[in-house]
Amino acid sequence: MTSFSAPKGVPDYFPPTSASFLAVREALAEPARLAGYGYVELPVFEETALFARGVGESTDVVSKEMYSFNDRGERSVTLRPEGTAGVMRAVIEHGLDRGQLPAKLYYAGPFFRYERPQAGRYRQLQQVGVEAVGVDDPALDAEVIAIADAGFRSLGLTGYRLDITSLGDGSDRPQYREKLQAFLAKLPLDEATRTRANLNPLRVLDDKRPEVRALMDDAPLMLDHLAAETRAHYEQVKGYLDDLGVKFTENPRMVRGLDYYTKTTFEFVHDGLGSQSGIGGGGRYDGLMEQLGGQPLSGVGFGLGVDRTLLACQAEGLTPGDVTRCDVYGVPLGETAKSRLVGLSGELRAAGVRFDLAYGGRGMKGAMKAADKSGARYALVLGERDIEAGVAQLKELATGDQQAVPLTDVVTTVRKALDR
Ligand code: HAM
């Protein structure tokens, strides 16, 4: 019979790596909680139109990568490709925009994009994200960026940089777009690139092909065409980043794959990951809420890739989290001993000790091997003679040191030993 595999491009996480996965997700979320962001748990599917309108019809994400289908009630729904549109939908629907502002929210979970799978590019990807809605203060842009940076740093990561730029807004981008289009019109572009240039000229700035890059050397840049107000906003963001001690590189050619961005945009790029090097990105999206039928309120946020951050940790030789399964491993020699250790397992776990034991009637040798493999610090060995003497043997696996512990004191002794 043929067996099954996971859907193409979708990672499975299982022990011991899954412990690092959880630790990364936790490390990326903790700085958000410290800054007053509250958790939201939102649906993994939404009405298709939400993403079409929110993320933008011309983006690859919407035009090529969405998992959309009709449900049994003939409604078109889509597995969420990103988090911001859903958060805005929830903010509007539940009136969070009429409460205290900014509404500060964070989320963690899976997102779905039908991309061509490769190392670090998955069709089910995991993000930790934050959104701060309703206050247009450049200090908030800096806060959001600093939260992401703190998460990466808390994992011990060092091999990444932060790129920032400003994409302008309704007050200056239309004029800039015209300038860029006029520039592009004079270039000898191939058919496909010409079509892209007409649809979304900014995307051409990000073209990776050397021959197109060379042509784009003298292209006008948004950063040189900011209106006075957006320029001042951007300068303030950079000032606050300096206050926060967050280092950044200005990258005026940065292009994001989602249409809603205005003003500050940023990306964290890790240099140990090959082509899929973006470990997180975000920015301001001041028109989005109104576009989704809400009030004209501003917003700023990020999405950090948990999968890629884990890969970045691995590339730097870091193993976040505790990948061991247990602290103490029980080795019963005989049926009476097994019954005693099964009884102790409940007591030890209730006292917060991670305890496992050799099931399946393995002999001493096999059970000790299993103890080593489990990552436990101690083995708790119990034989017939020990029971007669009223003790168990607590053996430190790294050193081989062993002490007899009265059966009545096992829980307290083990707790003390583990605190050492
Ligand atoms: P994004 O840049 O599309 O932004 O995704 C954020 C992060 O998710 C990326 O930097 C990357 O680490 C990870 N990611 C994206 N696609 C994949 C993939 N196929 N495989 C593995 N990891 C991936 C957003 O999604 C915005 N919603 C972020 C945001 C929030 N902007 C404002 N608020």
Side-chain angles (χ1 to χ4, degrees):
M1 234 196 297
T2 53
S3 58
F4 296 100
S5 11
K8 194 169 172 219
V10 175
D12 288 320
Y13 292 103
F14 44 88
T17 317
S18 51
S20 291
F21 172 85
L22 287 177
V24 167
R25 198 172 64 185
E26 189 48 33
L28 296 180
E30 177 60 11
R33 284 192 291 269
L34 287 174
Y37 290 70
Y39 182 70
V40 285
E41 177 71 42
L42 299 180
V44 294
F45 64 95
E46 299 266 5
E47 207 178 311
T48 300
L50 172 69
F51 301 115
R53 214 195 303 163
V55 176
E57 305 264 16
S58 75
T59 60
D60 281 357
V61 169
V62 169
S63 64
K64 299 185 194 154
E65 298 169 1
M66 293 212 296
Y67 278 91
S68 301
F69 57 97
N70 283 349
D71 70 7
R72 287 172 193 271
E74 290 305 315
R75 300 172 197 89
S76 178
V77 292
T78 294
L79 300 184
R80 59 183 185 186
E82 63 93 51
T84 313
V87 172
M88 286 312 110
R89 192 268 308 146
V91 165
I92 298 167
E93 184 175 346
H94 304 294
L96 301 181
D97 52 332
R98 289 191 295 275
Q100 197 191 13
L101 297 180
K104 290 173 138 191
L105 305 166
Y106 83 95
Y107 50 91
F111 297 85
F112 305 86
R113 295 181 189 180
Y114 193 82
E115 294 196 76
R116 202 159 40 77
Q118 66 179 82
R121 187 161 68 195
Y122 304 133
R123 288 181 172 172
Q124 175 172 328
L125 57 119
Q126 301 272 343
Q127 284 184 7
V128 167
V130 307
E131 314 292 351
V133 185
V135 174
D136 182 2
D137 184 334
L140 213 43
D141 305 43
E143 172 178 284
V144 162
I145 293 172
I147 288 171
D149 187 56
F152 294 133
R153 259 190 301 113
S154 75
L155 288 162
L157 288 171
T158 53
Y160 68 91
R161 66 164 201 276
L162 161 63
D163 283 358
I164 70 166
T165 192
S166 173
L167 294 181
D169 63 12
S171 71
D172 45 20
R173 204 179 324 162
Q175 293 87 311
Y176 164 70
R177 206 181 135 109
E178 265 174 38
K179 267 204 182 89
L180 181 61
Q181 254 162 344
F183 173 85
L184 291 169
K186 288 194 219 113
L187 299 182
L189 298 174
D190 60 86
E191 201 60 35
T193 315
R194 170 77 50 217
T195 311
R196 202 141 43 95
N198 291 333
L199 207 63
N200 190 345
L202 268 71
R203 295 299 298 273
V204 186
L205 281 175
D206 191 36
D207 202 302
K208 301 280 185 290
R209 291 168 299 177
E211 65 277 16
V212 181
R213 274 194 170 198
L215 291 173
M216 295 302 288
D217 268 352
D218 299 325
L221 298 172
M222 183 72 243
L223 216 44
D224 301 325
H225 294 82
L226 293 177
E229 226 170 282
T230 40
R231 154 77 42 204
H233 190 283
Y234 182 58
E235 293 303 328
Q236 280 176 289
V237 172
K238 290 194 288 180
Y240 289 123
L241 285 175
D242 287 338
D243 292 339
L244 283 155
V246 174
K247 296 209 165 43
F248 57 85
T249 313
E250 201 157 81
N251 178 1
R253 286 169 189 268
M254 186 198 309
V255 174
R256 302 273 298 135
L258 314 165
D259 271 356
Y260 47 62
Y261 289 111
T262 55
K263 297 182 186 158
T264 320
T265 40
F266 56 91
E267 242 162 23
F268 288 86
V269 183
H270 194 276
D271 58 19
L273 295 184
S275 67
Q276 301 308 308
S277 56
I279 53 174
R284 189 161 272 288
Y285 45 85
D286 288 348
L288 180 58
M289 194 149 146
E290 192 173 18
Q291 209 171 321
L292 294 176
Q295 311 182 57
L297 289 182
S298 63
V300 58
F302 64 58
L304 310 181
V306 179
D307 315 88
R308 286 191 197 163
T309 305
L310 177 56
L311 290 171
C313 288
Q314 289 164 348
E316 291 195 32
L318 302 165
T319 311
D322 185 350
V323 295
T324 62
R325 295 199 293 114
C326 63
D327 304 313
V328 182
Y329 195 88
V331 177
L333 306 171
E335 195 44 49
T336 322
K338 182 171 175 186
S339 158
R340 291 299 289 264
L341 280 182
V342 167
L344 273 171
S345 71
E347 291 177 44
L348 284 161
R349 291 169 191 161
V353 175
R354 296 187 305 156
F355 181 78
D356 192 10
L357 74 157
Y359 289 105
R362 264 179 277 192
M364 175 80 166
K365 215 168 137 201
M368 286 309 288
K369 218 186 226 168
D372 274 328
K373 270 202 181 147
S374 75
R377 269 177 72 189
Y378 293 95
L380 190 65
V381 185
L382 194 61
E384 301 294 336
R385 245 179 295 152
D386 294 318
I387 297 174
E388 276 163 32
V391 297
Q393 306 294 332
L394 187 64
K395 181 171 180 170
E396 184 163 20
L397 289 164
T399 58
D401 290 350
Q402 188 168 313
Q403 57 166 320
V405 179
L407 278 169
T408 48
D409 293 348
V410 167
V411 175
T412 35
T413 311
V414 163
R415 275 241 59 108
K416 260 190 227 146
L418 286 173
D419 287 344
R420 272 204 296 272

